[in-house]
Amino acid sequence: DGGITQSPKYLFRKEGQNVTLSCEQNLNHDAMYWYRQDPGQGLRLIYYSQIVNDFQKGDIAEGYSVSREKKESFPLTVTSAQKNPTAFYLCASSILGRDIQYFGAGTRLSVL
Amino acid sequence: SQQGEEDPQALSIQEGENATMNCSYKTSINNLQWYRQNSGRGLVHLILIRSNEREKHSGRLRVTLDTSKKSSSLLITASRAADTASYFCATDAGGTSYGKLTFGQGTILTVHP
């Protein structure tokens, strides 16, 4: 099966804790993206990466960090500096030079 | 900031009726895309229209683009209960922002059987 896999589906964070959301793709796509979606809202871009070992901040990068050590993996860490982390997080990928993005099923993060 | 603004925010229709959703944006674009999201799921790409195109069709979907008014519309004809979902427009400004999409806040469509 080709696609994007996000895990876990649900995640709970304690006060002061860093948590990492996983995103893996086997589509051989160069570009990968992380979005945050709040209830009743559209998606806001957190970080994106067009090649391995390189990534760029999106519109709301504060309190988040990413790495891109492998083409197929783009994990997102929600740090303790993110004071309002409760949201639905979506990972996407695309072929560089093509416009369509393919999305994973999302991770819902809540604060305990 | 949100590039796209969509209206209506919510739309409720009967099966078999047509559904029209509108999207306005602020800056020039390379292309505009529409995505669908079922409740609690990821987004699925529906259709893409480039800045030099005015209309595009895909099955029961029809998209128009008016770059002079910075607006687009998505028409779903002969709607079905399975079309119930949120629909988002997303713009790609191109240039140094190529590949980065800016999403609207979405229209929630409910189709009653």
Side-chain angles (χ1 to χ4, degrees):
Chain A
D1 270 341
I4 301 178
T5 302
Q6 290 187 241
S7 62
K9 190 171 181 179
Y10 299 97
L11 188 58
F12 298 91
R13 193 189 88 167
K14 294 180 183 178
E15 195 76 34
Q17 186 182 40
N18 293 353
V19 292
T20 298
L21 285 62
S22 170
C23 179
E24 303 275 333
Q25 54 99 358
N26 60 4
L27 300 168
N28 200 32
H29 287 174
D30 297 295
M32 297 187 75
Y33 311 83
W34 273 107
Y35 294 93
R36 170 180 171 140
Q37 185 178 30
D38 292 284
Q41 301 294 314
L43 279 64
R44 292 184 290 170
L45 182 64
I46 305 172
Y47 269 98
Y48 66 103
S49 168
Q50 295 185 326
I51 56 172
V52 174
N53 293 323
D54 186 53
F55 47 83
Q56 308 294 329
K57 292 182 179 180
D59 300 318
I60 55 165
E62 187 173 348
Y64 301 96
S65 66
V66 294
S67 62
R68 187 88 187 275
E69 297 176 1
K70 298 185 296 182
K71 186 176 184 178
E72 58 270 22
S73 178
F74 191 41
L76 173 74
T77 296
V78 183
T79 75
S80 57
Q82 174 49 246
K83 297 306 180 189
N84 183 24
T86 297
F88 190 49
Y89 291 87
L90 287 158
C91 179
S93 70
S94 67
I95 299 171
L96 263 186
R98 302 282 182 89
D99 308 295
I100 298 169
Q101 293 186 13
Y102 297 82
F103 285 80
T107 292
R108 191 165 298 279
L109 176 61
S110 302
V111 177
L112 286 177
Chain B
S1 62
Q2 294 292 331
Q3 161 83 309
E5 297 292 332
E6 297 175 65
D7 81 273
Q9 290 187 339
L11 181 59
S12 181
I13 60 174
Q14 295 295 126
E15 211 165 27
E17 294 180 339
N18 295 343
T20 300
M21 289 160 264
N22 302 296
C23 170
S24 60
Y25 57 92
K26 296 173 184 170
T27 63
S28 60
I29 60 170
N30 180 49
N31 66 70
L32 185 145
Q33 305 178 37
W34 286 90
Y35 287 81
R36 166 193 167 128
Q37 182 181 36
N38 285 70
S39 182
R41 307 295 298 275
L43 276 69
V44 175
H45 180 265
L46 295 175
I47 195 166
L48 178 152
I49 187 164
R50 300 199 181 278
S51 59
N52 61 352
E53 298 175 309
R54 291 296 167 259
E55 187 171 313
K56 209 161 181 183
H57 296 255
S58 177
R60 294 184 296 113
L61 305 180
R62 173 179 169 251
V63 170
T64 61
L65 179 64
D66 187 334
T67 53
S68 66
K69 294 182 180 177
K70 291 186 169 59
S71 69
S72 173
S73 68
L74 171 68
L75 168 68
I76 303 174
T77 60
S79 63
R80 305 166 182 167
D83 293 328
T84 295
S86 293
Y87 292 82
F88 295 91
C89 68
T91 53
D92 182 341
T96 56
S97 299
Y98 182 70
K100 286 177 57 181
L101 295 180
T102 303
F103 285 82
Q105 294 184 325
T107 293
I108 301 171
L109 173 66
T110 303
V111 182
H112 300 280

